[in-house]
Amino acid sequence: MNPIEAVSHLTPELWERANRRLVRKALAEFAHERLLTPRPLGDGRFAVREGAVEYRFTATVMSLDHWHIGEITRHRDPGETLPLDALEFVTEMRGPLGLTDEILPVYLEEISSTLASLAYKLSRGPVGAAELAKAGFQEIEAAMTEGHPCFVANSGRIGYGIDDHHGYAPETAAPVRLIWLAAHRDHTTFTCSRDIDYERLTRAELGDEVLARFAGTLTGLGLDPADYLLVPVHPWQWWNRISVTFAAEVAQRRLVCLGPGDDEYLAQQSVRTFFNASAPAKHYVKTALSVLNMGFMRGLSAAYMEGTPAINDWLAGLIRDDEVLRATRLTIIRERAAVGYRNRLYESATDRYSPYRKMLAALWRESPVAGLEPGRRLATMASLLHVDEEGRSFAAALIEQSGLGPREWLRRYLDAYLVPLLHAFYAYDLAFMPHGENVILVLDGGAVERVIFKDIAEEIVVMDPDADLPPEVARIRAEVPEDHRLLSIFTDVFDCFLRFLNAALVTGGVLDEDAFWRTVAASATAYQRSVPHLAERFRRYDLFAGTFALSCLNRLQLRNNRQMLDLADPSAALQMAGDLVNPIAGFAPRASATPGRT
């Protein structure tokens, strides 16, 4: 594309707006994680000082120590007023943030990329919340402006150039055709669910004409197509990694580039996952992508992918056979097949954490479109936190569209989203990673009818080390300390999602904090009453405890922005910073009404 047009969103006006928004978020989340300690000035005004620089701002401190920040000014002694600049904010606050000489420049690059992405989103012009609430699934996905609500540097995508941003970032909604490789079977593993096989999958996804074209490319090189498996590859990964780092594999025909397929895909918020825009009922494709984003290199491990379909089949069976989960109408979109290429040279030279082991793998995930009931539509749950340029929230627009009262709308949503998470935890010691991008809402009008969980095999964990699991599923078992287990609800659901939904609805005048958290408590209480046989579990892990530990996500990224966590041992690296007051503790059910409480 034209190099001048490529940076047309990087204007002084848009850059200033992006910086103001990101500095506001940085002050709010770093104060929440107690990295910064705002000093009260009176009348709802606060200040943060480091050296000669001081930030002054208005703020309301809400439940869960959520800082809702208004106007901000930046000052330097002896009285100079400075513009807001997120990059300079990070360098000014590097001491309190604990940024080392090694981490700081990478983090600055992530902040710069996040600002550029935000400037691009702002350049598209405003889409009102009411208008967006009537939009389609992929229009909503592409319209999200905030990214992960907790992480300040949440659109780092280190490795992407400006042309890659325009070509592959989810906010651009640019159609993408995946590159297909033929990978020799001696180095490649394909696994799948019980209800599919390799031939049926590839025929359904690619069609006979494309398969014939690919086979012709192989036979034209004197190769036997039966010796190879097909692997979809992100175009960036082919041009920047596979064609160079795996050049020996290509030269020796262990990998053969077959060119692009015919279908057009749209990148999702997770960056490396694609929705089939040409045929929405076909599978999502999740690809390896050696780009650093939000604390992880976004590769896919060939070894890890091998067990993916079996884990998804196991979870689908558990949901199908559980009466409580069936009643919530929870479903998952299964990762039905996975393929991974093993480069033996790099494997012999690296450990399991190495990005060189995560360069060439992919999986196929069911599309939610295929199972959608008539008259229903889909929206990413991340959209509930979206606030438009006029300060109107998407969630409020859905409530208005539904015709329901705010509490009734919220209760329906919580019964669909929170109750399955509670039951999975209390009945099975099973935790999901249920952030906004990993949950899809099924909407009936503006009301949430049910939810769909996705991104299963990499992000679920059974926290009982003695849990009886099939051998092919055993890798999801992890030993998590007793006092960390309920953080799968307190941190991942309350602090990292409901905290923000509460703020959006309260500041939008939809309902007050008491009503919000009372409704959360009511949903949880009704669930507990419905399963009296789990009374001992409710005593052991008290959802209505007065406080819970504050587990901090930005602290993880600030400490190690290349590998925040070991997914096989997720609790080992957690960063704690004291306690938070549990916002539903004051609504604890009476002992006589709730099994297990005294």
Side-chain angles (χ1 to χ4, degrees), residues 279-346:
K282 288 185 181 181
H283 290 79
Y284 286 97
V285 181
K286 185 174 183 177
T287 58
L289 184 63
S290 299
V291 165
L292 182 68
N293 192 52
M294 223 167 60
F296 289 100
M297 187 69 74
R298 298 292 162 170
L300 284 179
S301 162
Y304 222 62
M305 288 301 98
E306 194 168 346
T308 289
I311 292 168
N312 279 259
D313 282 352
W314 171 81
L315 181 60
L318 184 149
I319 293 170
R320 181 189 62 238
D321 296 338
D322 186 279
E323 182 180 352
V324 175
L325 295 176
R326 283 203 312 274
T328 67
R329 300 188 63 198
L330 169 72
T331 58
I332 63 169
I333 44 178
R334 289 179 302 157
E335 293 148 355
R336 296 179 76 204
V339 64
Y341 184 85
R342 316 225 12 194
N343 187 311
R344 291 167 187 164
L345 180 65
Y346 286 118

Side-chain angles (χ1 to χ4, degrees), residues 432-506:
F432 295 83
M433 186 64 71
H435 56 68
E437 198 278 322
N438 271 357
V439 181
I440 298 170
L441 307 175
V442 178
L443 300 173
D444 180 7
V448 178
E449 186 174 75
R450 61 185 180 89
V451 304
I452 303 167
F453 289 167
K454 67 183 182 72
D455 217 352
I456 299 303
E458 282 195 286
E459 297 198 335
I460 66 169
V461 60
V462 172
M463 295 178 284
D464 179 0
D466 300 317
D468 183 19
L469 297 174
E472 62 272 22
V473 176
R475 84 144 197 254
I476 68 171
R477 184 194 293 118
E479 187 166 357
V480 177
E482 280 278 310
D483 60 345
H484 285 185
R485 292 185 185 183
L486 196 50
L487 292 181
S488 64
I489 301 296
F490 284 146
T491 298
D492 296 342
V493 181
F494 283 23
D495 192 37
C496 292
F497 196 82
L498 295 184
R499 168 165 67 96
F500 298 94
L501 181 58
N502 169 66
L505 295 179
V506 171

Side-chain angles (χ1 to χ4, degrees), residues 129-291:
E131 180 185 350
L132 194 61
K134 300 173 184 175
F137 183 31
Q138 290 307 297
E139 287 82 5
I140 294 171
E141 181 82 14
M144 296 299 95
T145 57
E146 185 52 46
H148 195 289
C150 297
F151 286 104
V152 176
N154 62 21
S155 298
R157 305 169 188 168
I158 294 178
Y160 271 5
I162 189 63
D163 54 337
D164 301 314
H165 173 268
H166 285 282
Y168 309 126
E171 59 266 21
T172 67
V176 176
R177 290 203 296 165
L178 301 178
I179 303 293
W180 287 82
L181 303 185
H184 201 279
R185 288 177 181 266
D186 287 351
H187 296 256
T188 311
T189 302
F190 175 88
T191 53
C192 61
S193 296
R194 292 183 291 268
D195 59 354
I196 201 169
D197 56 43
Y198 175 77
E199 285 73 22
R200 279 190 292 161
L201 175 74
T202 53
R203 186 172 294 110
E205 290 297 300
L206 290 167
D208 290 338
E209 183 178 334
V210 174
L211 288 175
R213 185 170 83 228
F214 288 170
T217 299
L218 291 169
T219 56
L221 295 170
L223 304 172
D224 185 351
D227 292 338
Y228 291 83
L229 294 168
L230 298 179
V231 183
V233 178
H234 193 297
W236 186 96
Q237 192 76 353
W238 166 251
W239 290 109
N240 294 275
R241 288 292 181 265
I242 304 303
S243 60
V244 177
T245 310
F246 283 25
E249 310 300 296
V250 176
Q252 296 173 64
R253 301 280 164 77
R254 289 190 286 269
L255 293 175
V256 179
C257 184
L258 304 171
D262 287 351
D263 285 352
E264 291 187 334
Y265 291 82
L266 294 173
Q268 303 295 281
Q269 289 290 316
S270 58
V271 184
R272 58 181 167 167
T273 301
F274 291 94
F275 176 86
N276 193 318
S278 297
K282 288 185 181 181
H283 290 79
Y284 286 97
V285 181
K286 185 174 183 177
T287 58
L289 184 63
S290 299
V291 165

